[in-house]
């Protein structure tokens, strides 16, 4: 697991989620992804599958690539 990549992804996810005024709990209501799973992703404590990446992007109303755009 590439910790630096996960940390960049985690930061980007959290930034986009907050900009959309969504709470971690909102994912469960819409997608079935628990708050604890989102919290672990946002703190780079776990990795996710591509299917979960797509679900997260859909909940946020962004393209999956936007979650991976770290602006480097």
């Amino acid at each position: 697991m590439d910790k630096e990549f996960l940390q960049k992804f985690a930061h980007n996810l959290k930034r986009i989620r907050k900009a959309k005024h969504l709470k971690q709990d909102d994912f469960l209501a819409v997608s079935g992804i628990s708050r604890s799973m989102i919290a672990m992703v946002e703190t780079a404590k776990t990795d996710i599958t591509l299917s979960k990446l797509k679900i997260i992007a859909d909940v946020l109303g962004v393209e999956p690539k936007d979650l991976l755009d770290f602006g480097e």
Side-chain angles (χ1 to χ4, degrees), residues 25-53:
D25 289 329
D26 293 333
F27 284 88
L28 180 60
V30 176
S31 68
I33 298 175
S34 69
R35 183 204 56 78
S36 61
M37 171 60 87
I38 293 297
M40 287 178 16
V41 173
E42 285 188 354
T43 56
K45 292 184 175 150
T46 192
D47 207 338
I48 59 170
T49 62
L50 287 175
S51 59
K52 283 212 175 29
L53 174 70

Side-chain angles (χ1 to χ4, degrees), residues 6-38:
L6 288 179
Q7 288 172 334
K8 288 178 182 179
F9 178 80
H11 175 76
N12 211 28
L13 169 58
K14 189 173 186 176
R15 179 185 59 77
I16 293 170
R17 178 180 60 77
K18 287 187 172 208
K20 300 277 185 173
H21 304 288
L22 293 171
K23 297 177 185 171
Q24 290 176 340
D25 289 329
D26 293 333
F27 284 88
L28 180 60
V30 176
S31 68
I33 298 175
S34 69
R35 183 204 56 78
S36 61
M37 171 60 87
I38 293 297

